Amino acid sequence: HLAISKAQPVTDTVGSGIGVTRTSGTCALGESTRLSDLHVSGFPVSGIQVREGSAPLRIEHVSVFANGQFGVDLRGQHQTVVLDSISGDSNNTALINVDGTGSSYDATVVRISNVKAETNTLYPAPAGPQETVVLLNTLVNARVTVEGVSTTSGGSVPREIVRMKGSRAILTR
């Protein structure tokens, strides 16, 4: 396990614990990338943020706590994404954000499973209410499966399990 935590108190307004962005037409993450066995907490933006990632991308056995926006934040073009065994408390906006930015080449297959989410008031800023577990934002033509979400392990329960915002995706639960 690798633990990455922002020193407290957080006064920064930008930055993620792990941030990967494709540059110059090449992918910073290679084919079949897997991020696993991580604990990332307390960053102003996201615990893990991948922009224009690999194909396929697998993130598993990860805990993301008390980040300013999202625990796991995927943006842009991803072909196949598997998120498995993600645990997160008190990320300000949502535990998981999948944002296709409106492209028709969005994450064509997204599978999210075995998720634990709650809000815990014990965390300092930038922790927040984490009212949504999975946010699907501007996905076009994506096939999304969400299964095995637990929100009852303590603390308070998020208000929404899955929220679709500006998306035209096929959702299976």
Side-chain angles (χ1 to χ4, degrees):
H1 291 309
L2 175 64
I4 303 169
S5 296
K6 180 75 174 157
Q8 298 296 325
V10 174
T11 56
D12 299 339
T13 58
V14 296
S16 295
I18 296 173
V20 181
T21 302
R22 179 175 23 190
T23 58
S24 304
T26 60
C27 189
L29 296 176
E31 296 283 326
S32 299
T33 295
R34 182 178 78 173
L35 300 173
S36 66
D37 301 305
L38 300 167
H39 173 88
V40 187
S41 64
F43 286 87
V45 178
S46 297
I48 299 171
Q49 184 179 73
V50 179
R51 292 179 177 269
E52 309 291 335
S54 73
L57 172 64
R58 182 178 199 87
I59 300 176
E60 61 187 2
H61 305 286
V62 167
S63 58
V64 281
F65 289 73
N67 294 290
Q69 289 181 355
F70 308 107
V72 176
D73 184 14
L74 306 177
R75 294 177 184 261
Q77 297 179 0
H78 297 274
Q79 288 181 339
T80 302
V81 174
V82 175
L83 302 175
D84 183 50
S85 300
I86 307 296
S87 174
D89 299 356
S90 300
N91 296 286
N92 205 4
T93 305
L95 173 57
I96 298 167
N97 179 53
V98 181
D99 186 338
T101 65
S103 167
S104 61
Y105 180 72
D106 292 325
T108 53
V109 177
V110 178
R111 190 181 84 211
I112 301 169
S113 58
N114 306 316
V115 175
K116 191 281 294 176
E118 63 185 273
T119 297
N120 191 323
T121 57
L122 300 177
Y123 295 105
Q130 187 170 286
E131 292 186 351
T132 303
V133 178
V134 177
L135 177 59
L136 304 175
N137 197 9
T138 61
L139 292 176
V140 179
N141 302 324
R143 297 187 185 281
V144 181
T145 301
V146 178
E147 60 187 4
V149 176
S150 169
T151 61
T152 59
S153 58
S156 61
V157 177
R159 290 185 190 181
E160 301 174 300
I161 302 299
V162 177
R163 180 173 161 207
M164 294 181 72
K165 185 175 166 185
S167 295
R168 292 189 324 263
I170 298 170
L171 176 64
T172 307
R173 294 187 281 166

